[in-house]
Amino acid sequence: MMNQTPFSRYGPRLLLGAVALLAVWAGTAAPTQAQGATDALFFAQRSPATGPRLTAMGGASIAGVADYGSFYSNPAGLGLLERSQFGGSFRSLLTTDEASYTTFRPDETSFGTRTIERTRTGYGIGNLALAYKVPTAQGSLVVGAALNETRHFGRDLDFGNRNALSSVSDFFLPLNDEVDVRQFAPGEGPEDLLFGQELITTDEADFLVDFDPDGNGQIDRPLSFIAFQTFGIDLVPAFVEPDGNDAQAFLPVVTPGTEFRQAGDVSEEGTLRELNFGGSVEVSPGVLVGGAANVTLGTYDLRDTFEEVDDLNQNDGTDGTVDFERLRLTRNLESDLTGFGLRLGLSAEVAPSVRAGLTIETPTWYTIDETSSIRLQTGFDNGDRFTYGDDPGEDVGRTAFDYDVRTPWRLGGGLSVQLNDLRLLADAIFVDWTQLELDDNTGGNLFDTENDLIEDVFDPVINTRLGMEYQLDALSIRAGFAYQPAPVSLSEIDAESFGGSLNLRGADEVDERPRTYLSAGLGYQLSEQLSVDLSWMQQRFDDRTLPYTSTNASFVNEDVSRNRILIGVRYHF
């Protein structure tokens, strides 16, 4: 920070108008870490199916299906294989995100809704598997291993609109316990500054601004410190009062009530994969039991860029405004996930041409290693440019953190009916999301509030899957449907997280996020040893993004469609 703060950017109109803004901002802190209840849920959810054949049938297979995809659904189904099987698939992904952003004027009239659609494609390996049928005198014994893609995070989001009711720079402001401002006589300020301290000198007084008021070597609110370095927020001496609320001595760079342009760009990528080791054994005629040990490996990368531009030049340094031109906030998050869990299953013939199955799946214990960084750029009409986050020494806002997530137990049941050449399947999986839990790995209570939130507002759900397969000589025709209800209402999360203290705009359209899946596919037996499969599954859900947390901030409401195409080959021996 420079020794001299450009107080000339502020005038009487801004000082009067800031009182209301600071009053409503008081008491609305952002979370101290990125990890929370919805983040844990985000990593714990997964696709209803894997492998081309079961994907085409919506994943319905708990009753037992002779396919390597049974590693993921019910391992007991592996025992139905008549021969050993080696298979794999190639995956193509097409994700479309239609984002609608509604913003407002100070009189609460809307600028309208601007909708932007982005499409992202991706390719990769969907599955690799080997199931070996062990020669036995009687019954069936199958063992093997598989690598299955269970979740893909890739998508892009673009949004933008005009705004005059809230700015991301409102979000930069600290709370009173996150900053300390002390006033000294001119030239009497301390010469030796500690971590997190900056000295501002004027003709009237010296001001020591301390973003580490506890003196523990940690910036309580990194974004406020970073914004102060780049004049995203600034100190106003007229607001400094002895024994007063020190946070009220700061103002955001965007003048309240001025109109400007906002634009955001969010990019997500990464996958979750399961490495399965397991098998199935026939314990009595028609009755199979199976199990699999599952190692989950995954990555998730997020890049979030948000920009505000004074394109109408309403912040021109006159009439009490700041000569603000533009700002650009970039946040990066990288996560590496590893996990372990067990899956057990039973498949039995309960009547001629009718099979029933049961599964029980232990929690998956995830360890998540995350690194994050923040970069802020600001520009002013006089040509001044400031950036924080490029220099290796600018490490405030760079974090490395690891924590654990424990997913709920899953209990499933399924039924399969064979009607001549037509097979119908149905599954139901019970998941009690109140059992979802975060752990900070230190024995502390960092996540107590989030875990209480999960217990209070999350709900148990029953996921359903329906599928069919029609055999026509060497050709198989398949179709399916799956539905995963939302385990939580977003309005409940907002109320619990913010205590009703924030007036969040544009959130009415997206309250819950159930996920619906439609699927279809074909299989063809090329020879006695070789068969090929083609499947398509479309996932649809509504989502929403909050670019920043501030009074009168607007949500981005999203309509997401993800199409996954798998082309697979199975070799029987």
Side-chain angles (χ1 to χ4, degrees):
M1 189 78 173
M2 355 180 105
N3 287 333
Q4 208 67 17
T5 303
F7 294 114
S8 60
R9 298 177 183 170
Y10 300 97
R13 267 183 50 183
L14 179 55
L15 299 183
L16 292 174
V19 175
L21 172 64
L22 294 173
V24 297
W25 174 246
T28 58
T32 56
Q33 71 283 330
Q35 305 80 16
T38 54
D39 299 287
L41 177 63
F42 177 75
F43 287 131
Q45 292 180 313
R46 64 193 191 202
S47 172
T50 187
R53 184 183 178 194
L54 298 191
T55 293
M57 297 190 293
S61 53
I62 289 180
V65 175
D67 186 85
Y68 67 78
S70 295
F71 280 109
Y72 182 65
S73 57
N74 182 356
L78 296 169
L80 296 173
L81 287 169
E82 297 181 356
R83 292 178 293 169
S84 299
Q85 184 179 105
F86 174 75
S89 68
F90 177 78
R91 179 262 302 156
S92 174
L93 194 70
L94 178 69
T95 303
T96 301
D97 194 323
E98 185 179 280
S100 300
Y101 192 39
T102 305
T103 52
F104 299 86
R105 299 178 175 87
D107 62 3
E108 300 190 5
T109 59
S110 171
F111 279 103
T113 300
R114 187 181 179 202
T115 300
I116 302 175
E117 183 177 292
R118 283 282 300 273
T119 298
R120 178 175 184 153
T121 59
Y123 307 92
I125 300 298
N127 316 85
L128 287 172
L130 172 65
Y132 177 68
K133 190 173 180 65
V134 179
T136 57
Q138 60 181 9
S140 174
L141 173 62
V142 177
V143 296
L147 179 64
N148 291 305
E149 184 179 85
T150 62
R151 175 82 181 272
H152 199 284
F153 298 112
R155 62 170 168 157
D156 292 321
L157 164 68
D158 262 356
F159 61 93
N161 210 343
R162 310 203 61 75
N163 203 340
L165 191 59
S166 70
S167 162
V168 70
S169 63
D170 305 340
F171 180 51
F172 299 161
L173 294 169
L175 295 184
N176 192 43
D177 59 353
E178 296 171 338
V179 67
D180 179 59
V181 180
R182 281 173 280 171
Q183 183 173 340
F184 299 87
E188 297 297 323
E191 296 182 2
D192 296 327
L193 301 180
L194 302 177
F195 175 73
Q197 295 181 343
E198 300 287 343
L199 184 66
I200 307 302
T201 61
T202 71
D203 293 338
E204 292 77 21
D206 290 355
F207 298 90
L208 180 66
V209 180
D210 190 354
F211 286 93
D212 179 23
D214 298 330
N216 59 6
Q218 295 183 345
I219 302 295
D220 290 339
R221 183 164 165 76
L223 191 54
S224 297
F225 176 85
I226 293 170
F228 190 63
Q229 304 301 305
T230 57
F231 294 101
I233 61 174
D234 217 340
L235 180 75
V236 181
F239 278 17
V240 178
E241 298 179 1
D243 301 321
N245 183 344
D246 292 335
Q248 292 188 8
F250 296 87
L251 288 178
V253 68
V254 179
T255 307
T258 59
E259 182 181 332
F260 53 94
R261 178 172 59 84
Q262 293 181 322
D265 183 351
V266 181
S267 175
E268 294 177 284
E269 58 184 37
T271 58
L272 284 181
R273 299 181 185 275
E274 262 192 13
L275 183 59
N276 312 114
F277 301 93
S280 173
V281 61
E282 189 174 15
V283 294
S284 64
V287 180
L288 301 161
V289 295
N294 314 304
V295 178
T296 301
L297 304 170
T299 60
Y300 172 72
D301 295 335
L302 170 68
R303 179 182 174 87
D304 171 13
T305 300
F306 189 78
E307 185 176 48
E308 293 185 347
V309 180
D310 181 30
D311 56 339
L312 299 182
N313 203 29
Q314 293 191 5
N315 292 261
D316 59 0
T318 63
D319 297 327
T321 62
V322 183
D323 63 339
F324 164 74
E325 178 187 322
R326 65 176 61 237
L327 66 83
R328 186 180 182 87
L329 175 66
T330 302
R331 293 168 286 194
N332 292 287
L333 175 69
E334 297 180 1
S335 303
D336 291 318
L337 300 92
T338 56
F340 178 78
L342 298 174
R343 187 175 295 122
L344 304 173
L346 168 71
S347 174
E349 186 175 11
V350 296
S353 301
V354 178
R355 294 196 73 87
L358 295 173
T359 58
I360 181 169
E361 186 174 334
T362 70
T364 297
W365 289 270
Y366 284 112
T367 295
I368 303 175
D369 295 310
E370 289 189 345
T371 58
S372 63
S373 63
I374 300 174
R375 181 174 186 262
L376 181 61
Q377 302 166 279
T378 58
F380 298 87
D381 292 334
N382 62 3
D384 286 347
R385 298 289 183 268
F386 303 96
T387 300
Y388 187 96
D390 282 347
D391 192 289
E394 296 173 340
D395 56 0
V396 174
R398 296 177 185 170
T399 63
F401 185 69
D402 68 272
Y403 63 103
D404 290 343
V405 170
R406 189 190 71 183
T407 69
W409 289 80
R410 299 172 191 253
L411 304 175
L415 192 67
S416 169
V417 179
Q418 188 76 41
L419 303 173
N420 296 322
D421 296 325
L422 176 65
R423 189 179 193 186
L424 302 175
L425 305 100
D427 292 349
I429 303 97
F430 174 79
V431 187
D432 184 1
W433 286 107
T434 65
Q435 297 177 356
L436 185 65
E437 185 176 309
L438 296 100
D439 186 350
D440 62 11
N441 274 330
T442 65
N445 58 357
L446 178 63
F447 291 123
D448 283 357
T449 299
E450 294 299 324
N451 289 328
D452 288 343
L453 178 65
I454 291 171
E455 188 174 347
D456 289 343
V457 305
F458 280 38
D459 297 314
V461 301
I462 296 178
N463 299 331
T464 54
R465 305 187 296 216
L466 302 174
M468 61 81 65
E469 182 177 49
Y470 183 73
Q471 196 71 37
L472 187 63
D473 295 327
L475 178 68
S476 299
I477 302 172
R478 303 164 183 140
F481 170 83
Y483 180 72
Q484 297 177 348
V488 62
S489 167
L490 295 181
S491 61
E492 292 184 78
I493 287 285
D494 296 337
E496 291 283 341
S497 299
F498 302 125
S501 59
L502 289 184
N503 180 16
L504 299 171
R505 302 282 181 163
D508 297 338
E509 296 178 24
V510 181
D511 189 39
E512 296 186 352
R513 291 186 280 193
R515 297 169 183 257
T516 302
Y517 302 80
L518 295 173
S519 62
L522 299 172
Y524 192 78
Q525 189 79 31
L526 294 174
S527 67
E528 185 179 350
Q529 286 78 33
L530 191 64
S531 60
V532 295
D533 299 284
L534 173 66
S535 69
W536 160 83
M537 174 175 276
Q538 182 183 79
Q539 175 193 30
R540 298 197 68 95
F541 63 96
D542 292 333
D543 208 345
R544 74 184 193 199
T545 296
L546 180 61
Y548 53 91
T549 306
S550 175
T551 296
N552 293 318
S554 294
F555 279 103
V556 182
N557 292 317
E558 304 171 62
D559 183 0
V560 182
S561 172
R562 178 172 284 132
N563 292 278
R564 184 171 56 149
I565 297 175
L566 292 173
I567 301 174
V569 177
R570 286 178 291 155
Y571 179 73
H572 311 271
F573 60 96

